[in-house]
Amino acid sequence: ALGPRFEIAAKAENGADALALIPQISPDIIITDMKMPVMNGVELVKRANAEYPQISLIVLSAYMDFEYSQEALRNNVVDYLLKPVEPEELQKVLSKLSGAIEKKLERRQRDSLYALVRRNSGPLPSLSFPDRMKFGVIAVRTGPLLIRPISGAKSGIFYGEDLFQAILEPGLSGWVLPGRDEYEILWVIGSESLRDAEIALAAGRTLDLQDKVEDFVTASYYPRAFPLELLPVAAAEAQNCLHQRLVAYQSKCFSTEEPAGGYPQELLSLDETLAKRLIFCAESGDSQGIQAELSKLMDKCAAADLPQHLVEQLVWQILHLFRRFYQNELLLDYDIRELISDSVAYSADLAEFSKSIGNFIRELLSTGAADIQRGNPESIFREIDGFLRRGLASNLSLGVVCERFRLSQ
């Protein structure tokens, strides 16, 4: 990451002038004498600590005064040096501070990037980057444990941040930002000479994290280095590409400029023939037949590398079909989508996912049958009405209806 570069940002004749300069130059360290006109060092460290607690304070004094040293301690002064100060002694103090300052800088940069990504309008957030810095952005989706923020963190210290730093090329800086949910992050990389090839390389290396996170990893990256002000646009493109191209239970890497492959028409919406077969199985109480149809459908999805959102849409249509079949108002759209999302998250592959959905449908079938067996009048009439409406085009006899619902003629 970008390390602190110790240089004199400004000089002031007294504490009042120094205090006025702080918002203009945003210093990391203030080195102050205790004896000054207008506003002395005691008042300066008091005000600076209260108004700018992120700044490290170092005090210089010609003698060790108990009152001054006590005041310094109360106001978080990191060191109290006696004049004359040897350069080596000051350098030792600065070296000791460098790690903490670097972490503060990284946090400030991360917060600035996160604010910029989330900004819809209004002024730019305060940014802490060199003017010539170029950036790349990669949207990454994987298991939730990797990107859960530490409790109390402002916007982005993550358990998995060290994993991303480990795969970063030397000379590049990287920042991990929250994504749209607990499964997604934005990985922003940058340098003053960032090349497009370095962005593609970093994106490809995210797939190496699969073994460490024990989950599948999908990455989508904006393939061009860009100036900071274009980050919101590039991040949105990477995230949209990730959503559109994500294949469940596979690790893949996509560029936002790669065209999406064509998918079989029969997988873009629920096929009418399949819908009839599923309803026939449901009417016959054949849960094994339903499971077989689901398994065949998931095999086709896997063979076509069908994106996850299209798989979920197909399953939603199937569950919606059964909701209409049972006229179950308790099974709302939100519940269906939540069920699908949970099933995807807790399944190891599409075969296990289809079994999870099949088990739910079997429970739905058995619940409907139990209602009929218990003689629930409302349930019986609802089932009979739906059965008759679906069978209008076929030759239904009274005997078929009575056998289906275990009624006497």
Side-chain angles (χ1 to χ4, degrees):
L2 294 176
R5 304 181 178 107
F6 293 118
E7 59 183 20
I8 298 174
K11 295 180 182 179
E13 294 295 324
N14 56 66
D17 290 348
L19 203 61
L21 282 169
I22 292 175
Q24 301 173 35
I25 61 173
S26 300
D28 295 300
I29 301 172
I30 293 176
I31 303 174
T32 179
D33 202 338
M34 274 304 202
K35 294 273 190 178
M36 293 185 294
V38 186
M39 181 189 290
N40 64 19
V42 173
E43 186 62 24
L44 174 59
V45 296
K46 232 190 245 187
R47 295 277 300 276
N49 182 55
E51 298 174 31
Y52 307 98
Q54 76 278 11
I55 298 176
S56 299
L57 302 168
I58 299 173
V59 166
L60 308 180
S61 183
Y63 51 92
M64 179 58 75
D65 183 279
F66 180 75
E67 183 185 345
Y68 284 172
S69 60
Q70 285 294 99
E71 196 62 47
L73 287 172
R74 275 197 292 270
N75 288 284
N76 298 317
V77 170
V78 297
D79 223 317
Y80 192 104
L81 302 177
L82 292 176
K83 296 193 290 186
V85 179
E86 295 294 331
E88 295 79 10
E89 189 179 6
L90 181 58
Q91 186 59 50
K92 191 183 294 185
V93 174
L94 294 177
S95 297
K96 189 171 67 175
L97 286 174
S98 64
I101 291 173
E102 187 168 336
K103 288 187 183 303
K104 286 180 185 178
L105 176 61
E106 288 174 355
R107 193 176 303 119
R108 204 159 63 231
Q109 290 171 336
R110 187 187 300 113
D111 289 345
S112 295
L113 292 170
Y114 188 49
L116 182 60
V117 167
R118 298 186 63 189
R119 184 180 75 98
N120 295 320
S121 60
L124 280 170
S126 174
L127 304 172
S128 307
F129 301 97
D131 292 338
R132 293 185 299 170
M133 191 93 165
K134 294 201 294 187
F135 295 85
V137 64
I138 305 161
V140 183
R141 196 163 187 84
T142 184
L145 291 178
L146 176 66
I147 55 175
R148 187 175 297 137
I150 293 174
S151 176
K154 184 173 180 182
S155 75
I157 302 175
F158 297 89
Y159 288 128
E161 199 162 40
D162 57 330
L163 298 179
F164 285 87
Q165 294 300 337
I167 61 174
L168 193 61
E169 282 287 290
L172 299 183
S173 298
W175 303 267
V176 177
L177 310 179
R180 294 169 293 188
D181 58 34
E182 72 270 27
Y183 296 94
E184 182 185 288
I185 65 160
L186 280 174
W187 189 27
V188 180
I189 63 175
S191 77
E192 293 190 15
S193 57
L194 183 67
R195 294 177 290 113
D196 297 346
E198 290 175 310
I199 302 172
L201 179 62
R205 283 187 170 177
T206 61
L207 304 190
D208 297 339
L209 299 176
Q210 180 174 335
D211 292 337
K212 291 192 169 56
V213 301
E214 298 180 350
D215 206 336
F216 298 98
V217 177
T218 303
S220 170
Y221 65 98
Y222 189 82
R224 304 273 177 257
F226 52 83
L228 186 57
E229 59 267 22
L230 293 185
L231 176 60
V233 174
E237 287 197 25
Q239 288 178 313
N240 289 338
C241 178
L242 185 64
H243 172 72
Q244 294 296 325
R245 305 288 296 277
L246 174 70
V247 179
Y249 315 115
Q250 292 188 36
S251 289
K252 288 181 175 288
C253 180
F254 304 104
S255 160
T256 58
E257 293 185 354
E258 290 177 26
Y263 305 111
Q265 193 65 34
E266 63 176 318
L267 298 178
L268 297 182
S269 63
L270 182 60
D271 180 69
E272 187 177 342
T273 303
L274 174 58
K276 288 179 178 178
R277 288 201 299 269
L278 289 169
I279 290 297
F280 177 79
C281 289
E283 288 174 340
S284 308
D286 183 7
S287 59
Q288 289 185 347
I290 292 173
Q291 185 62 69
E293 294 293 346
L294 287 174
S295 296
K296 283 191 289 186
L297 180 62
M298 290 302 108
D299 287 344
K300 290 180 181 178
C301 292
D305 274 352
L306 196 70
Q308 181 175 316
H309 74 99
L310 293 180
V311 174
E312 291 182 358
Q313 181 63 25
L314 273 175
V315 174
W316 180 87
Q317 290 174 352
I318 290 171
L319 292 180
H320 191 68
L321 178 74
F322 282 107
R323 189 186 72 165
R324 292 205 315 273
F325 178 76
Y326 281 104
Q327 299 183 7
N328 187 342
E329 295 304 321
L330 295 177
L331 193 60
L332 303 175
D333 289 357
Y334 176 78
D335 297 323
I336 292 178
R337 296 198 185 277
E338 187 174 43
L339 168 74
I340 294 170
S341 177
D342 288 346
S343 297
V344 169
Y346 293 108
S347 299
D349 51 33
L350 283 177
E352 192 173 315
F353 171 61
S354 71
K355 286 179 183 176
S356 175
I357 299 299
N359 289 338
F360 174 77
I361 293 172
R362 184 166 60 250
E363 288 177 16
L364 196 61
L365 286 170
S366 63
T367 301
D371 281 343
I372 292 168
Q373 289 173 6
R374 284 196 300 268
N376 182 326
E378 183 180 349
S379 175
I380 292 173
F381 285 120
R382 187 172 65 242
E383 290 291 318
I384 293 174
D385 179 65
F387 185 73
L388 291 174
R389 289 175 187 276
R390 291 189 297 275
L392 285 177
S394 58
N395 294 321
L396 281 178
S397 66
L398 180 60
V400 170
V401 176
C402 289
E403 183 180 353
R404 167 70 175 82
F405 294 99
R406 298 176 183 158
L407 302 173
S408 59
Q409 295 191 41

